[in-house]
Each structure stands twice: as structure tokens, then as C-alpha cells.
Amino acid sequence: MDKSDVTLERMRTFVRVAERGSLSAVARELGIGQSTVTRHLRELEEAVGVPLLSRTTRRVTMTDEGSRYYADSIQILRLVEHAGDEARSTRGAPAGTIRISCTAAFGVLHISRMIFAFQDRYPEIAVDLSLTDERVDLVEEGVDIALRLGPLADSSMKLRALGQSRRLLAAAPNYLAARGIPVVPQDLSGHEGIRMSNIAGSDTLVLEGPDGKRHLVPFGGRFRVDHGLAAREALVAGRGIAPAHHWLVDDLLANGRLVAILPDYALPPVPLSMLIVPERAGIGRVRLLIDFLAEQIAGMPGIGQA
């Protein structure tokens, strides 16, 4: 086997195995058998002439030679993809697949519809949308861009601030009829709170009054959940009061199924950001989706300037 046997297919397989550390995971991702993944790697190593990966029963890691080959392979595959984008652009039809990860409730209620509109505009672009509130490794999962709520740790990803997601306190009319309407923040201590179990500090509410004074209010309750859509359902079912993003409940407020509580007191807004894998940022179709989503999100009610 000579160097001419270094095919793009084998190189892509190697890159994904190097990033994910698992042959079986890459086989599932690519829709091929694990034996095919193993063969691609063996044939690539034979063509290159050095071992690129070290395999154990639990993990696959790169050798020193593999690390250097991986860095070069990323650049080569990026150039190949860029060349394809440029060629397709001459006929005015961007094509290919974009992989996006998004906070679950935001993705279901808003981003999915934005993607439908994007694909209506660019019908040859496929979008793979992954909905999760977990902070996934974008490179390992093969994601191009991610939309995230909340503060972000330092990262090698490119960051595009999209705005501040404003929040309010809300409850169902039937709950308030039974338990009373809070008039001042301290009244919340006698109410049922619907809390997010995956948000640190959800047992205390921070509210800023019309005079600028901050109020720290203990916030408890019998129902805790780790998904925004379940919190939304709990609100509608009259299970208590919850802090909620405007984009999560605006439709329910408009039709009277929920009511805003303590409207003169503001909850701290939450940053909304887009993370972009640097190696993918220059790809034409990815740039199109980045700009499209940024424009659409900026026009959403409840999203303030970053």
C-alpha cells in the first residue's frame, strides 16, 4: 500500500475516532459497521507507515505521530470542504450538512422554527439539531455551532454574544386564586416554587426593585426539574410560581394561561451566546446559519442587547 491510498474517507474516519476516542461511537455516527472503521484506520496507518492511534480495551488515543497527523488532517479536510463550498457557490446553491447543539427548551420552542425558515431559503442545506442542556464538547460530538444560556467558561471556541435573555416570575391564575398574589418579594416565602435542579442557586431568588434595591428571597418548593418545558407544564398546571424566560412563557401570558408576578421587580437576565468551532467558522453554509440565527434571535421579544 502506498501514499496514494490515503483517501479522504479514511482521513475523515481517523479524525472522528481521534476526537471521540471510540470506534463504536464513530461507526454509529457515520452509519457504518465498526469493522469498516477498523479497516479504514488500518489501511490509513499502512499507507502513512506509522501507527496513528493507540488502542486499549476502554479508549483509543493518538500517538505522537497521530497528533501531528491529526492537526494536518484537520487543515486538509477544511480546505477540501471550503473548496466544495466555493464550487457550489458558483451555481448559487449552498449545500451540505450543519450540526448545531442548542439548549433544549429554546430549541424546541424557537430555534427549530428558525431552522425551518433557513432551510426554506437554502433547500440544499441539511441541519442536524441536537437538543441538550449539557455542555457538550463541540469537537468531540462533531458540532459546528452551539447556542447556550448562562455564563460560559473560557474556551477555544469562537464566541458570539447574542443578547441577554430577560426573565420574570409567573404563575397560573388558578394557583394565585387559591394561594394569593404576592405583593412584595418577602411574600414569596409562603408560596410553592418550581425550581430548576440543574441551575446552581435556584433556592434563592435575586430581585431588583424599582428603587434599585436588591432583594434575596429564599425560594423552595416540592417540585424540582431539569428541563424548561417541564417547568412550563408545571406552571400551567398550577403547581406554583417560577422564574421563567420571556421566550418560554410569552405565549401563555398573552392567552391568559399564566400571569406575571411582581412585575415591578426584575430578575437578573441570562447571557445568550453562540459558540462556533473555529475550524468550521469559515465554511460558507455555516456562516450563513450563524448570521441568520443571530439576526432572528436579535428580533425576539425578551432578548436584550448583549
Side-chain angles (χ1 to χ4, degrees):
M1 190 169 291
D2 58 30
K3 293 180 181 179
S4 64
D5 294 305
V6 178
T7 65
L8 292 175
E9 182 182 34
R10 291 166 185 160
M11 188 178 288
R12 288 191 185 97
T13 300
F14 161 71
V15 164
R16 292 306 293 140
V17 170
E19 290 170 345
R20 303 206 61 176
S22 167
L23 275 66
S24 59
V26 172
R28 289 192 297 272
E29 176 186 314
L30 299 179
I32 58 179
Q34 187 169 329
S35 60
T36 302
V37 173
T38 301
R39 176 169 56 79
H40 284 176
L41 296 175
R42 184 186 70 250
E43 291 170 346
L44 182 63
E45 288 179 326
E46 289 175 358
V48 174
V50 294
L52 301 174
L53 297 167
S54 176
R55 302 163 180 80
T56 67
T57 55
R58 300 184 61 183
R59 184 75 178 168
V60 178
T61 57
M62 286 183 284
T63 63
D64 290 343
E65 295 83 1
S67 295
R68 290 190 290 271
Y69 193 78
Y70 169 81
D72 291 337
S73 296
I74 286 290
Q75 296 301 318
I76 291 168
L77 293 173
R78 189 168 124 199
L79 286 170
V80 169
E81 192 157 12
H82 179 71
D85 281 343
E86 290 299 313
R88 284 186 289 270
S89 69
T90 60
R91 60 185 176 93
T97 299
I98 306 170
R99 295 177 178 86
I100 177 172
S101 174
C102 182
T103 299
F106 191 53
V108 171
L109 294 175
H110 298 282
I111 297 303
S112 56
R113 288 197 290 269
M114 293 180 190
I115 290 173
F116 302 155
F118 177 78
Q119 290 184 302
D120 287 343
R121 183 180 297 183
Y122 303 106
E124 294 190 41
I125 295 180
V127 177
D128 185 342
L129 175 62
S130 173
L131 299 175
T132 177
D133 292 328
E134 299 295 324
R135 299 298 173 91
V136 300
D137 184 312
L138 272 61
V139 173
E140 183 174 309
E141 296 299 324
V143 173
D144 299 312
I145 60 179
L147 296 170
R148 289 289 175 258
L149 281 163
L152 298 173
D154 290 339
S155 168
S156 60
M157 301 295 109
K158 295 184 67 174
L159 174 66
R160 181 163 177 173
L162 298 176
Q164 297 285 331
S165 179
R166 295 194 297 272
R167 300 183 297 156
L168 75 161
L169 290 170
N174 62 342
Y175 171 84
L176 297 172
R179 298 292 296 270
I181 300 174
V183 178
V184 294
Q186 290 70 27
D187 293 344
L188 292 169
S189 61
H191 282 268
E192 281 287 326
I194 300 167
R195 294 168 48 200
M196 298 300 293
S197 58
N198 57 347
I199 297 178
S202 65
D203 56 352
T204 301
L205 288 178
V206 180
L207 295 166
E208 183 177 314
D211 57 358
K213 182 179 178 181
R214 293 173 79 244
H215 301 263
L216 301 180
V217 183
F219 191 65
R222 294 174 296 159
F223 185 66
R224 298 172 70 231
V225 67
D226 65 355
H227 198 296
L229 292 180
R232 174 182 159 105
E233 288 300 309
L235 278 169
V236 172
R239 308 309 298 179
I241 296 172
H245 294 274
H246 276 271
W247 53 259
L248 183 67
V249 297
D250 266 357
D251 60 327
L252 301 175
L253 293 168
N255 63 25
R257 298 180 72 189
L258 294 181
V259 176
I261 306 301
L262 298 171
D264 294 332
Y265 292 83
L267 290 159
V270 178
L272 176 61
S273 308
M274 183 184 295
L275 292 173
I276 309 159
V277 177
E279 291 80 11
R280 310 289 291 174
I283 296 172
R285 63 179 178 275
V286 176
R287 289 198 309 271
L288 287 171
L289 183 56
I290 289 169
D291 292 340
F292 183 87
L293 290 177
E295 179 182 358
Q296 295 294 310
I297 291 169
M300 286 179 58
I303 303 296
Q305 293 298 311

